[in-house]
Amino acid sequence: MANNQMPHNLEAEAAILGCIIIDGDIQSELLESLKEADFYQESNRLVFEAMRKVYGGRKPVDVVTLTDMLEREGTLSRAGGLQRITELAEVTPSSANYKQYFEIVRRDAIRRSLIRAAKGIIEVSTSGTDAGEAVAYAEKQVYDISKEEDGSQLAGLSDGVVIRQVLGKFEDIQSDPNAYRGTPTGFKHLDRITNGLQRSDLIVIAARPGMGKTSLSMNIVENVCLNRGGIAAVFSLEMPRSQLVQRLLCAHAEVSMEKALSGKLTQKEWKNLMIASDKLQKSKLFIDDSSRVTPAEILSKCRRLAASQGALDLVMIDYIQLMGGTAGGRNGGSSFENRQQEVAGITRDLKIMAKELDVPVIALSQLRRIQTKEPQLSDLRESGAIEQDADIVMFINRPDVTATAEEIAKKAVVKGAAELIIAKHRNGSLGRVQLRFIGESTKFVDVEDQNLSDEEPQHYVAPPEGYEEDMSDAFADDDTGIPE
């Protein structure tokens, strides 16, 4: 092969075509695994395409049927004529080494694809394109080649392989209830209902401002990274990295943030903070506090993180309404007709990202300002697509935040009482989880006695229709959940 030519091996291409002709048992495997573009020489591409048409017509692929197809297509001479087709069958005495020939052909095809992708990357990089867009383009080109290598095919169930896998999974769970348990949240009653956060799931945590969405999600991140040694990526579009670290330190050390900020910590509290800071520094928690980021950029960063760390256990995004759609670009221009369509595109991309990365993705969402005491799915702000795309939707309800002074005075509302309402659960039951919110350290904790059956979780019941609803899109950015 000359230096200015693309990688190729004509002998391996001829051998694999010969194997297809002489061995009917491997025709199905090779004709479904290879593509026309995998062959470098035009005559070989024509022969292979004719083979697929013969096979698609439910006829055996041999010298006679193949020559007939090429003649009808008018490409027999370009494919080398009858002599060339006959030679393909004769020069390959056995198909025993067909897998080696296949690997050579695919190897060179991938190398050619990478070279073409590299040329495209050079053109984009030298055209003055925005740096972020150029990086995203380069990653996509290489990733598409990698994904093509791992592409699944439409398959039936007659071989029983998948069915045996599912039954085996059920047997494993029967013998060990903890088998196939997802990423633990640290809240035992929530984990009982969800069996942990499952890989490839999009989990939406929604609440009105000040209810503690960020606090709850960071408590889950804390459990994954600091308590279990997992790897998590946090994308905070609203809060700077320093404030998230501040929350994590106080929550993990169980130290009052107010006392820390006013310089009133005791010696024991300082010791707890030092221990927590050491654990946090050694943890594998990665925080991105870019003020505006798209799902494509998050996916790109998570791919690199997973590749460098060897794994990724959790992704958290705070929050959906601050994200920009992929089509909107970074400079404010948008091809979406309205914000609802843009949010729909964002949630769809987040779900695809969760599946592609094979990790649970927690995305926070604002709710409309409403007058009802308890949130429901219709309150999700800006788009019903959030409900549609999410595998789990959870609401945080804290009665003491919205309680009147009279209710507090009469102790009709318990201070710090919180309820996590699982309003949608694609692969399980709905339910309610009782929590307690410790405002001084921005931490949610389990309520030990929840009066819930381990077998029959309570189910979510929407409030009656006919309530007054304020459809205003105005919302506060403050989500600290710290009582004033």
Side-chain angles (χ1 to χ4, degrees):
M1 182 182 68
N3 291 333
N4 62 345
Q5 286 184 320
M6 288 285 218
H8 65 276
N9 188 313
L10 298 183
E11 290 77 12
E13 290 185 12
I16 202 72
L17 292 174
C19 289
I20 294 173
I21 294 174
I22 66 174
D23 192 341
D25 292 337
I26 63 173
Q27 288 179 358
S28 175
E29 177 185 349
L30 292 178
L31 290 172
E32 291 177 3
S33 302
L34 289 167
K35 302 184 301 298
E36 183 183 353
D38 290 335
F39 295 88
Y40 176 77
Q41 188 166 279
E42 182 194 22
S43 60
N44 292 335
R45 291 198 297 271
L46 292 172
V47 170
F48 180 76
E49 187 60 24
M51 286 178 168
R52 295 188 68 171
K53 290 180 180 179
V54 171
Y55 183 78
R58 299 186 179 182
K59 297 177 182 178
V61 180
D62 54 32
V63 174
V64 176
T65 57
L66 186 55
T67 303
D68 178 66
M69 177 59 71
L70 287 167
E71 282 184 330
R72 285 192 284 136
E73 293 287 318
T75 56
L76 180 59
S77 60
R78 291 168 56 197
L82 177 59
Q83 182 179 355
R84 163 70 170 160
I85 305 303
T86 305
E87 287 177 355
L88 287 175
E90 293 177 348
V91 297
T92 310
S94 169
S95 62
N97 297 323
Y98 80 95
K99 289 187 177 180
Q100 284 72 30
Y101 306 147
F102 171 83
E103 289 175 0
I104 294 172
V105 171
R106 285 296 296 142
R107 178 201 66 194
D108 288 344
I110 293 169
R111 292 166 65 192
R112 292 196 298 272
S113 296
L114 287 170
I115 291 172
R116 295 188 192 100
K119 290 180 179 178
I121 292 169
I122 292 173
E123 291 178 3
V124 170
S125 301
T126 56
S127 65
T129 306
D130 176 80
E133 293 179 6
V135 171
Y137 174 85
E139 286 192 336
K140 185 178 187 305
Q141 297 305 304
V142 177
Y143 179 74
D144 285 348
I145 295 172
S146 175
K147 187 176 181 180
E148 186 176 324
E149 282 300 284
D150 193 33
S152 60
Q153 296 180 346
L154 191 64
L157 302 175
S158 59
D159 58 6
V161 174
V162 177
I163 295 173
R164 287 194 295 272
Q165 288 176 350
V166 173
L167 291 176
K169 176 180 178 179
F170 291 161
E171 289 176 358
D172 292 341
I173 295 173
Q174 184 76 17
S175 59
D176 179 11
N178 291 321
Y180 298 96
R181 183 173 290 276
T183 302
T185 64
F187 301 104
K188 61 181 182 181
H189 299 285
L190 176 60
D191 288 336
R192 176 181 62 81
I193 296 175
T194 63
N195 198 33
L197 304 181
Q198 300 297 314
R199 290 186 174 275
S200 78
D201 273 5
L202 173 61
I203 301 103
V204 172
I205 299 177
R208 292 189 285 276
M211 291 290 179
K213 297 185 299 297
T214 304
S215 298
L216 179 66
S217 60
M218 290 307 295
N219 292 161
I220 296 173
V221 170
E222 173 194 348
N223 182 64
V224 170
C225 294
L226 275 64
N227 297 338
R228 306 186 66 84
I231 304 170
V234 172
F235 294 86
S236 177
L237 286 76
E238 179 184 33
M239 195 176 296
R241 182 186 285 109
S242 59
Q243 288 190 24
L244 287 179
V245 172
Q246 177 178 293
R247 282 168 173 263
L248 272 173
L249 283 176
C250 291
H252 195 68
E254 297 184 353
V255 167
S256 167
M257 188 183 298
E258 182 181 354
K259 290 177 67 176
L261 293 174
S262 59
K264 299 179 181 179
L265 294 175
T266 65
Q267 185 175 358
K268 181 180 179 181
E269 288 170 334
W270 268 112
K271 181 180 178 181
N272 290 343
L273 274 177
M274 291 302 101
I275 294 173
S277 65
D278 184 61
K279 289 184 68 176
L280 188 57
Q281 189 169 351
K282 293 177 180 177
S283 72
K284 292 189 176 182
L285 170 60
F286 300 85
I287 302 173
D288 185 314
D289 58 359
S290 304
S291 59
R292 187 169 178 85
V293 67
T294 67
E297 291 168 334
I298 291 177
L299 176 58
S300 176
K301 293 176 181 181
C302 287
R303 278 198 204 118
R304 292 199 294 267
L305 177 61
S308 64
Q309 297 297 317
L312 183 59
D313 298 302
L314 181 69
V315 176
M316 194 277 275
I317 302 165
D318 184 10
Y319 53 86
I320 291 174
Q321 283 78 15
L322 289 179
M323 296 184 72
T326 302
R330 300 179 63 89
N331 300 318
S334 177
S335 63
F336 295 102
E337 294 182 7
N338 54 54
R339 178 59 178 166
Q340 282 72 26
Q341 288 187 2
E342 187 173 14
V343 171
I346 290 170
T347 56
R348 182 173 60 252
D349 289 343
L350 291 180
K351 174 56 186 174
I352 293 172
M353 178 177 72
K355 184 178 180 182
E356 187 172 304
L357 294 173
D358 194 31
V359 298
V361 173
I362 297 176
L364 308 190
S365 174
Q366 289 280 8
L367 293 178
R368 298 188 184 95
R369 288 191 179 276
I370 56 177
Q371 302 301 317
T372 55
K373 291 291 185 180
E374 191 172 276
Q376 57 182 341
L377 289 170
S378 61
D379 300 328
L380 285 169
R381 189 171 177 269
E382 288 188 318
S383 177
I386 297 176
E387 173 190 351
Q388 175 182 322
D389 294 324
D391 295 282
I392 297 177
V393 177
M394 296 186 286
F395 296 123
I396 301 172
N397 188 36
R398 290 175 52 203
D400 63 336
V401 175
T402 57
T404 63
E406 183 180 357
E407 288 175 327
I408 294 176
K410 292 181 178 180
K411 296 184 178 181
V413 175
V414 179
K415 183 175 175 60
E419 187 173 46
L420 194 59
I421 303 170
I422 303 176
K424 178 186 178 181
H425 189 188
R426 196 187 302 275
N427 299 309
S429 61
L430 309 182
R432 294 170 181 264
V433 177
Q434 306 302 319
L435 302 174
R436 186 164 65 89
F437 182 68
I438 305 174
E440 60 182 12
S441 58
T442 65
K443 189 180 184 71
F444 285 88
V445 295
D446 268 316
V447 175
E448 291 303 319
D449 183 13
Q450 300 209 36
N451 297 319
L452 292 179
S453 166
D454 286 339
E455 291 77 26
E456 297 293 337
Q458 296 179 3
H459 291 272
Y460 172 66
V461 179
E465 296 182 359
Y467 58 84
E468 181 182 355
E469 177 175 336
D470 178 11
M471 299 298 289
S472 170
D473 276 343
F475 61 90
D477 286 334
D478 181 21
D479 188 26
T480 61
I482 304 174
E484 295 181 357

